[in-house]
Amino acid sequence: MNAVPANNVGQHLCAEAPVLLYPKCSVRVMAHHCRCSAPIPLSSLTERGDWSIPCAKTIPKDCSLICRQPFKAMKKRLVLIKPPEISRFNFGTFSLAVLAAAVRHIADVTLIDATSLTCDEAIKKVLDESPDIVGITVMSQESVKSACSFVSSLKTDTENTPAQPTIIAGGHGASMNPEPLLAAGASAIVYGEGEKTLLQVIENGIVPGTKGIICYGNSGTIKGKPQQPVLPLDCLEKPARDLMPDPEGVFLLETSRGCPHSCKFCETTRFSGKRWRPFSPSRVVGEIRELVEEYGAWIIHLADDNFAADPERVLNICKELQKGPLPAIILASARADDLLAHPSLLKEMSDARIRRITVGIETLDPSAAKKAGKAISLDTYREVFRKMRAYDIFSIASFIVGLPGETPVARQKNIAFALFAAPDTAHFLPFLPLPGTPYAKGRTIGLPDPEDVRDSAVFNNTFRKHHTTVTRLKRAVGKGGIRGLFAEKVLQKSKEHIPYP
């Protein structure tokens, strides 16, 4: 609905009678955002407008409401939503809570986790909030297709409503592959980190050429310059966990952004930059203690791509954490060479309850690893997994099947190499060309090779059921401890057959 001029009588959505509106205030916004005085008779109004839209019966027909002038103090209504999709683990609502904390001082924010909802159910939840702006997180390349479907449906359902919200999308998937989302109806894409750019959108709307924004303009798609990264990270507010749904036992925490490495298959540096930026140890320890004391967190998952990028920082964090209180377990991801950079690092991490670590190996073929920018030796991986076992840390190795440069001979050695490295369990994933990465050139974006998909399933089954893996896990179960609990769970799952595509 268009703005109602000053001193004109317009419709109030929550009343059967009209209401006096002030400049630039839309009827829908006024209905949700301003406080009204006591009802007064219609006869006392000096001007009347066109009352054509029916309203709810909440006050007598011979009365009206005069709203106090709200415009300058009024906050825009922002809905941040994780759209419907099949999602193994939901990082989306956490990233939205981080954004919400950065803008809630200038916007009335609602956070919706629609992961398990139908598209229609999700759209109804959005429209029930009568938003001015809808922000949609697209977590990965795999999320783009379902996000496009949601954007398209939301756009269609709001085209004929009095107030059409601005639809924006962001996150790793949107940043890497914005065009399908724009074509589906998104007003703009927020690429890269979103805190500063979202503030700009709330304050100024969609302005082509704005830093961090991709949108359509008169000359086609316009991509603004990259937004300056947040620095230092401690200036960010803590995530708005009060807006998040129940995390179902696992609390996410971000302790750093970016990566100092330049692996050719990874999009991390394309999203957050090559400069690795940490939260201070005191900030990290404070948030972990808050999660334990105020939220009763038992499991905390550190969302960093490489938690151990600065081993000295990790040592400081761990020594402070050891003073308590601690959760039952902390989950993390790190590179093998960083974990071995200090002789006592893994022991200190274990004493701080960091008892499950995922190590990205990608490939153990020396030639392919060097080409990918991650030339770490097989002996290094074997040593880091040995030390993790010694300190009761459950180890997960992540492999990519089909990296460019991988020869058929090297592929066939994947299982042998993985068994020699001896992680507690391993995940083999098909190579997925990601837009903007060097390895995406000449490949079909977002679609893995069917042979890579099949071999990944074969390798997963083979490794998990191999007698050396099973024996190692049974020994862990016998010793007890946290590693033993994880080993028992993996043994139970290993009895399930992973179907071949």
Side-chain angles (χ1 to χ4, degrees):
M1 181 176 295
N2 295 328
V4 180
N7 299 323
N8 279 4
V9 177
Q11 293 295 331
H12 190 300
L13 292 185
C14 300
E16 189 177 35
V19 57
L20 189 64
L21 298 178
Y22 288 85
K24 299 184 181 179
C25 295
S26 72
V27 172
R28 180 177 289 274
V29 172
M30 291 287 287
H32 286 275
H33 286 284
C34 56
R35 298 178 179 179
C36 299
S37 64
I40 61 172
L42 282 173
S43 57
S44 67
L45 294 176
T46 58
E47 296 184 34
R48 299 186 182 185
D50 181 11
W51 312 340
S52 59
I53 301 177
C55 300
K57 294 181 179 179
T58 58
I59 59 175
K61 291 183 179 181
D62 61 345
C63 293
S64 180
L65 300 175
I66 294 183
C67 295
R68 300 168 186 163
Q69 188 164 0
F71 184 73
K72 290 184 180 179
M74 192 193 326
K75 292 182 177 181
K76 289 187 178 179
R77 292 185 62 83
L78 169 66
V79 169
L80 298 174
I81 182 168
K82 165 69 167 54
E85 68 172 322
I86 299 173
S87 181
R88 185 176 62 178
F89 191 78
N90 192 351
F91 286 90
T93 50
F94 172 74
S95 64
L96 293 179
V98 173
L99 286 175
V103 301
R104 66 191 313 180
H105 64 289
I106 63 166
D108 183 3
V109 187
T110 300
L111 198 156
I112 299 173
D113 181 6
T115 305
S116 59
L117 301 181
T118 65
C119 192
D120 288 344
E121 290 170 337
I123 289 173
K124 184 179 184 303
K125 276 186 169 289
V126 170
L127 297 184
D128 283 347
E129 300 297 328
S130 300
D132 300 298
I133 303 170
V134 179
I136 301 165
T137 183
V138 188
M139 294 198 305
S140 65
Q141 173 62 33
E142 295 96 320
S143 305
V144 171
K145 183 177 180 180
S146 56
C148 284
S149 177
F150 178 74
V151 169
S152 178
S153 297
L154 179 61
K155 183 73 172 179
T156 300
D157 286 4
T158 58
E159 279 180 342
N160 297 318
T161 58
Q164 298 180 25
T166 298
I167 301 173
I168 58 176
H172 283 253
S175 297
M176 290 186 294
N177 199 7
E179 285 294 343
L181 292 155
L182 288 173
S187 307
I189 303 300
V190 174
Y191 76 94
E193 296 178 0
E195 289 89 355
K196 291 183 179 180
T197 309
L198 183 56
L199 279 170
Q200 292 174 175
V201 171
I202 295 171
E203 292 177 337
N204 306 318
I206 305 298
V207 180
T210 299
K211 286 183 178 180
I213 288 288
I214 304 173
C215 64
Y216 288 150
N218 294 332
S219 58
T221 303
I222 299 175
K223 182 176 182 179
K225 293 180 179 180
Q227 185 65 264
Q228 291 297 314
V230 177
L231 192 69
L233 289 183
D234 278 17
C235 71
L236 291 175
E237 298 290 335
K238 294 178 183 178
R241 297 186 186 274
D242 57 305
L243 301 180
M244 291 178 64
D246 185 345
E248 298 180 354
V250 180
F251 290 80
L252 285 166
L253 178 65
E254 181 183 44
T255 85
S256 67
R257 292 182 182 179
C259 182
H261 307 286
S262 298
C263 300
K264 293 182 179 179
F265 53 82
C266 181
E267 89 282 3
T268 296
T269 56
R270 283 84 189 171
F271 185 85
S272 297
K274 292 184 179 181
R275 181 176 180 178
W276 179 77
R277 292 163 290 138
F279 284 94
S280 66
S282 59
R283 166 74 176 252
V284 174
V285 172
E287 284 202 55
I288 289 176
R289 286 176 178 160
E290 180 180 290
L291 288 176
V292 174
E293 293 175 334
E294 297 187 19
Y295 293 87
W298 277 60
I299 303 174
I300 296 175
H301 190 153
L302 304 182
D304 309 34
D305 289 289
N306 185 14
F307 174 62
D310 181 352
E312 290 294 336
R313 169 179 170 270
V314 176
L315 285 172
N316 291 334
I317 290 172
C318 291
K319 288 176 181 177
E320 283 300 312
L321 285 177
Q322 290 164 20
K323 298 175 183 178
L326 287 169
I329 185 171
I330 298 174
L331 318 178
S333 297
R335 280 175 55 120
D337 49 357
D338 290 331
L339 291 171
L340 295 178
H342 192 286
S344 64
L345 182 60
L346 282 167
K347 179 184 183 305
E348 297 295 340
M349 291 175 74
S350 177
D351 290 345
R353 299 275 178 85
I354 302 175
R355 297 290 185 85
R356 196 193 80 178
I357 301 177
T358 299
V359 177
I361 293 180
E362 291 30 283
T363 179
L364 288 169
D365 173 55
S367 177
K370 183 177 180 180
K371 183 177 180 181
K374 199 171 186 179
I376 300 175
S377 70
L378 175 56
D379 288 339
T380 298
Y381 289 117
R382 182 173 174 84
E383 175 63 11
V384 78
F385 294 137
R386 182 194 67 77
K387 292 190 73 171
M388 288 168 70
R389 287 194 295 274
Y391 295 122
D392 193 37
I393 299 173
F394 189 81
S395 59
I396 302 174
S398 177
F399 294 87
I400 299 176
V401 177
L403 276 175
E406 180 186 69
T407 65
V409 173
R411 179 177 292 219
Q412 292 306 313
K413 291 182 179 179
N414 264 327
I415 292 298
F417 283 157
L419 291 171
F420 180 79
D424 289 323
T425 192
H427 297 154
F428 291 87
L429 305 170
F431 171 63
L432 186 67
L434 299 176
T437 62
Y439 276 176
K441 295 179 181 179
R443 304 290 293 259
T444 303
I445 298 300
L447 292 176
D449 186 289
E451 185 178 352
D452 295 344
V453 175
R454 177 177 174 80
D455 283 352
S456 296
V458 172
F459 295 159
N460 279 317
N461 272 314
T462 303
F463 182 88
R464 294 171 190 174
K465 296 176 184 294
H466 197 278
H467 68 90
T468 58
T469 303
V470 173
T471 300
R472 182 167 55 251
L473 292 176
K474 285 182 176 180
R475 287 175 181 168
V477 172
K479 292 180 180 180
I482 293 175
R483 178 170 170 261
L485 292 174
F486 278 111
E488 184 175 18
K489 184 176 180 179
V490 171
L491 283 171
Q492 292 173 351
K493 291 195 69 175
S494 68
K495 296 176 182 179
E496 303 172 4
H497 179 73
I498 301 173
Y500 303 151

